[in-house]
Amino acid sequence: MTSAHTPGPRVPHRTAAPDETAALFKDAFRTHPAGVAVITAAGADGPIGLTASSVASVSVDPPALAFSVSGGHAASQLAQAETAIVHLMGADQLELVRAFATSGAPRFTDDHDWSVLESGEPLLHDAPWALRCELLHKVPVGGSVLMAAEVLGIRPGGDHGSPLVYHDRTFHALGEHSRVA
Amino acid sequence: MTSAHTPGPRVPHRTAAPDETAALFKDAFRTHPAGVAVITAAGADGPIGLTASSVASVSVDPPALAFSVSGGHAASQLAQAETAIVHLMGADQLELVRAFATSGAPRFTDDHDWSVLESGEPLLHDAPWALRCELLHKVPVGGSVLMAAEVLGIRPGGDHGSPLVYHDRTFHALGEHSRVA
């Protein structure tokens, strides 16, 4: 036990070794588990979409969420969009999640059900949850953009199956087998 | 299969039934898995801390993360802080996580090792990762505050154990048992 005023471990300051901090930062978040979403929008040249592991609830009244995107064509198109659909994905949608996570992989194909809403965003029909959002705040952070979005409408899908988790470059499914007392 | 221009399912608009959207929003995020963090700061009247399931990596260069807080004493104190420590927690820290998640529960006690850094923030020694951050952006969203923070320094803890996931009001531990092919 250490009382509040006993000298204890320290957190090194970044300026001492910025490269080392960046490496530790990657290590830390590689092992921080996250739910998986596919975010779609109407791009300038057609529908765009990407897999994101940064989606989190922010507020219930009004319903709002946050996520961040960085790099690549889909991310830059999304950063310019006014609305988007955030699809929360389950373990049954792993193939779709991988397609939207892989650079250059075909995304809007006949291999899965999707359609374009009257408002322009592509909807993935198999997603357990589809949340249509207005992108209200876009905060540049480094080379990324942190977005806060108000939820305009929600479509619950059919069978929700096992929740999907991304962790240390692998996917995990939750259930009774993973539950802790 | 549905081609891009075939009328398909629709996302209901929120103004049709805002209460229903809020209920669906809670349902959706209750089943969206998340890693677990305890965020601490120097409060006006002593150390404060809270459990958060909204921490996500935003940028690697510079290393930056985001999270949101809402309601309560610790959250309002954190919203006023300039720096904080984001502790990424594992399954071995479940007791600590619960203490910081429970309203009114004692938090900074002799039951676990902690100390106050020279810079003022309380450090939880048992956390697998402690990331000291400068809170750069604070975006009010509904009754919550979305924060973007640059990481100033990182302290890796000792044994990292099983990753901890919060899902549907229960905790899960990841490992080979939860991994999907």
Side-chain angles (χ1 to χ4, degrees), chain A residues 105-128:
Chain A
R107 297 182 176 187
F108 295 98
T109 68
D110 284 349
D111 291 341
H112 61 96
D113 285 349
W114 63 284
S115 56
V116 174
L117 297 182
E118 283 176 25
S119 45
E121 312 88 350
L123 174 71
L124 308 178
H125 298 188
D126 295 337

Side-chain angles (χ1 to χ4, degrees), chain B residues 51-72:
Chain B
T51 293
S53 59
S54 60
V55 174
S57 164
V58 171
S59 158
V60 173
D61 184 21
L65 53 81
F67 60 87
S68 68
V69 295
S70 59

